[in-house]
Amino acid sequence: MDLNQQWNKVLDILQNEVTAVTFDLWVEPLKPIQYCDDEFLMVANSVTAKNQANNPNLFQKIQNAVRKVFNNYTILKIIDNEEARSIKNKEEELTKEIPQQSSYFSNENKVESKFNSKYTFDNFIVGKSNQVVQAAVYTVACYPSEKINPLFIYGGVGLGKTHLLHAAGNYLVEHRPELNVLYVTCETFTNDYVDSLRLAKDKSNTAFRDKYRNVDVLMIDDIQFISNKPGIQEEFFHTFNDLYQNNKQIIIASDRAPKEMSALEERLRSRFSSGLIQDIQSPDYGTRVAILRKKASQEGYLVDDDVINYIAEFYDTNVREMEGILSKVCFYSSLIGKSSASMEDAKEALKDIDYTSNNTITADKIINTVCEYFKVSKDDIIGKKKNKEIVEPRQLCVYLINEMINIPLAAIGEIFGGRDHTTIMHARDKISTQIKVNPHIKTIVQDIKSQISKH
Ligand code: ADP
Ligand code: MG
């Protein structure tokens, strides 16, 4: 039985020992990398994940499970990628000693990219912001080297570029197993190149070329990190040309457009523009809600709709952060023993996030100013009264809070005695329509705004 199979047994045990969220977040992503001399070495996918897994409570459980499977006294070590990399320097000795046991340090000459099985086209929510990019990547996956080559996709952090590259990889592995598909980050490309220079002293520089020039599809992620060292760009340029001339598919992802990459040589920039350069935008609210729903069902989280809406309103520029918040809320609710995450849990889990930190205008200040202006009491404004003299100022408060402070509608609802976010949305929309058609309201809003800013 190989290391991975044994590790799967450990996972089976742990699944019953820890909560689903702990399992998903901290246990399952651990990768066993080495087992020798009674020492069992695992790598966590981030420093946070390493710290969580080394937390005494969880660590004890993992260790007990490992010992059950390995049947002898086993010392467990959980490290992060950085530490794994320094061990990698001893790679040659290690792999000689324990052949086959380490898939993590596998021989890189063989082109074999592992794609994250969660990053598929099916799991990618398509909306206005990303439909063109998604279609482009999908086309490339279906017709490599035939339709769009090279494909250069770019957009802000956490918007799904890596997800799409992996989706293409997964698709190709499934539908075109005969093709050599290589996914690397710019960092790996650079490291491989630097290594090849180091090795070139004793052998000829073929490992690097074998790896990069024998592929049918090359994907390079985060190309913005390409260093401005001429050697790397030179090598990349040759790799690119070589593949391109041999009609091989190239897909590149970056956080900015080629024209904004100052370190990029002109000849590379013009190579990129010979194919399609396509940007990916931040998802709109509906798409964000759909992404969160998908994520929740994928991870087996049970979450109230309110919570999904609340998070989707707040996080509008980075899907990764938004998903992180969802995990945090679910993790919190599982910690306190709940089966499903509610608004209360969300607020408790997120209470250290200060929505108004860079803003001297607070909801309180807005409400007080409106109360003063209309000579009504704050209790009435946030209370339940339905007479016109109160309802109008209340709607104005909602409108102004929404406009002047970046807080979710659901959070505004909370300020107004727990009204739900659709009521809040209605109030806001009513005033914004009135402003357009009624100059009197428009003047009132301007007056109040200037008073708020003066305070
Ligand atoms: P980038 O590479 O652009 O920085 P990633 O591809 O790493 O971003 O995406 C960050 C996270 O957001 C991933 O977990 C990814 O699955 C998720 N994500 C981003 N966009 C979408 C989408 N449209 N549908 C589903 N998940 C998405
Ligand atoms: Mg990425």
Side-chain angles (χ1 to χ4, degrees):
M1 209 190 299
D2 75 8
L3 194 57
N4 281 322
Q5 283 171 314
Q6 280 172 300
W7 172 240
N8 285 338
K9 282 186 140 188
V10 175
L11 285 180
D12 284 345
I13 299 175
L14 282 167
Q15 197 144 27
N16 299 319
E17 300 272 321
V18 301
T19 66
V21 177
T22 301
F23 185 82
D24 288 350
L25 283 178
W26 317 124
V27 179
E28 206 192 5
L30 292 171
K31 295 255 176 320
I33 55 174
Q34 188 184 310
Y35 174 57
C36 66
D37 300 335
D38 277 359
E39 189 178 271
F40 186 77
L41 200 58
M42 282 198 290
V43 65
N45 58 6
S46 68
V47 177
T48 316
K50 178 187 85 173
N51 293 340
Q52 290 289 343
N54 278 310
N55 170 307
N57 210 339
L58 182 55
F59 185 84
Q60 193 62 49
K61 287 183 177 154
I62 300 176
Q63 183 154 53
N64 289 345
V66 166
R67 285 180 182 168
K68 268 186 206 156
V69 172
F70 287 83
N71 284 331
N72 49 13
Y73 185 82
T74 302
I75 301 157
L76 179 67
K77 260 198 196 154
I78 301 171
I79 59 178
D80 59 36
N81 278 314
E82 202 50 50
E83 292 161 320
R85 219 167 286 145
S86 66
I87 297 175
K88 192 185 173 185
N89 293 338
K90 297 178 199 154
E91 171 190 10
E92 275 146 57
E93 299 145 53
L94 281 177
T95 42
K96 261 178 237 153
E97 274 169 40
I98 42 158
Q100 306 300 319
Q101 286 205 336
S102 153
S103 59
Y104 190 77
F105 301 149
S106 64
N107 180 355
E108 302 228 330
N109 285 340
K110 208 172 121 235
V111 169
E112 198 178 69
S113 300
K114 261 203 143 289
F115 296 105
N116 186 332
S117 60
K118 286 184 184 163
Y119 291 169
T120 59
F121 287 118
D122 280 348
N123 288 338
F124 190 82
I125 304 289
V126 180
K128 246 180 38 215
S129 61
N130 57 28
Q131 61 190 7
V132 184
V133 159
Q134 191 272 353
V137 179
Y138 187 67
T139 303
V140 166
C142 296
Y143 307 100
S145 306
E146 285 178 46
K147 306 248 175 183
I148 305 170
N149 200 19
L151 172 61
F152 187 106
I153 67 173
Y154 73 93
V157 173
L159 295 184
K161 300 180 296 295
T162 299
H163 185 133
L164 282 172
L165 295 188
H166 279 255
N170 282 315
Y171 186 93
L172 284 161
V173 167
E174 188 185 347
H175 294 89
R176 302 289 299 273
E178 77 283 8
L179 296 182
N180 260 340
V181 182
L182 178 62
Y183 165 95
V184 286
T185 60
C186 186
E187 194 194 354
T188 306
F189 183 86
T190 307
N191 291 344
D192 284 346
Y193 177 67
V194 173
D195 282 352
S196 78
L197 293 183
R198 198 164 43 81
L199 291 173
K201 283 179 195 144
D202 13 282
K203 317 180 210 164
S204 68
N205 184 8
T206 61
F208 182 83
R209 299 222 162 164
D210 289 349
K211 174 169 175 181
Y212 286 94
R213 307 252 177 123
N214 289 333
V215 299
D216 299 299
V217 179
L218 175 65
M219 303 190 225
I220 301 197
D221 203 352
D222 291 322
I223 196 82
Q224 74 272 6
F225 293 125
I226 193 158
S227 96
N228 51 11
K229 290 205 182 73
I232 307 273
Q233 296 214 8
E234 181 81 21
E235 189 56 47
F236 180 66
F237 184 75
H238 290 310
T239 307
F240 186 103
N241 278 350
D242 196 69
L243 293 175
Y244 188 69
Q245 274 157 17
N246 288 303
N247 201 28
K248 307 299 186 187
Q249 178 72 49
I250 299 159
I251 317 177
I252 290 164
S254 167
D255 74 352
R256 65 202 85 153
K259 62 174 189 295
E260 289 159 10
M261 290 172 58
S262 54
L264 201 65
E265 285 175 39
E266 196 45 49
R267 55 180 185 164
L268 271 176
R269 214 174 310 213
S270 80
R271 281 292 180 282
F272 294 156
S273 42
S274 62
L276 176 69
I277 299 178
Q278 184 60 51
D279 70 324
I280 187 166
Q281 300 281 338
S282 302
D284 56 26
Y285 176 74
T287 310
R288 298 200 298 276
V289 168
I291 292 173
L292 286 168
R293 291 227 171 94
K294 182 106 205 169
K295 176 85 179 173
S297 82
Q298 221 178 332
E299 302 291 326
Y301 298 154
L302 291 173
V303 202
D304 293 356
D305 276 352
D306 289 3
V307 177
I308 300 260
N309 298 338
Y310 181 78
I311 297 173
E313 271 164 30
F314 189 47
Y315 279 90
D316 54 0
T317 51
N318 183 331
V319 177
R320 186 181 301 123
E321 271 179 15
M322 183 175 83
E323 290 184 345
I325 291 296
L326 179 69
S327 306
K328 183 169 178 190
V329 170
C330 295
F331 183 55
Y332 175 81
S333 82
S334 84
L335 272 184
I336 57 172
K338 297 241 196 118
S339 58
S340 129
S342 68
M343 263 317 261
E344 281 148 39
D345 306 332
K347 275 189 227 122
E348 191 56 33
L350 305 180
K351 69 171 183 240
D352 24 320
I353 298 174
D354 184 0
Y355 299 124
T356 57
S357 56
N358 322 325
N359 209 327
T360 51
I361 298 169
T362 62
D364 238 14
K365 199 186 246 181
I366 294 173
I367 295 173
N368 289 335
T369 314
V370 172
C371 287
E372 235 170 72
Y373 190 93
F374 289 98
K375 307 283 176 253
V376 293
S377 79
K378 191 174 169 189
D379 284 349
D380 282 347
I381 286 273
I382 57 182
K384 301 256 176 281
K385 283 193 181 163
K386 290 212 161 67
N387 46 320
K388 197 164 178 274
E389 295 73 41
I390 301 297
V391 171
E392 267 184 13
R394 185 184 295 141
Q395 290 174 336
L396 265 167
C397 285
V398 168
Y399 171 83
L400 289 166
I401 293 173
N402 181 252
E403 201 193 272
M404 300 179 87
I405 318 174
N406 178 25
I407 66 174
L409 294 179
I412 301 178
E414 280 308 307
I415 298 171
F416 291 89
R419 287 173 161 85
D420 82 2
H421 86 285
T422 49
T423 311
I424 298 299
M425 206 180 317
H426 172 75
R428 177 199 64 187
D429 293 348
K430 187 153 177 221
I431 300 293
S432 47
T433 324
Q434 281 186 355
I435 290 174
K436 285 183 204 131
V437 296
N438 184 340
H440 178 60
I441 298 280
K442 191 173 172 187
T443 318
I444 292 179
V445 169
Q446 279 164 348
D447 279 354
I448 298 177
K449 268 187 168 176
S450 68
Q451 285 190 23
I452 293 168
S453 317
K454 252 189 276 159
H455 268 241

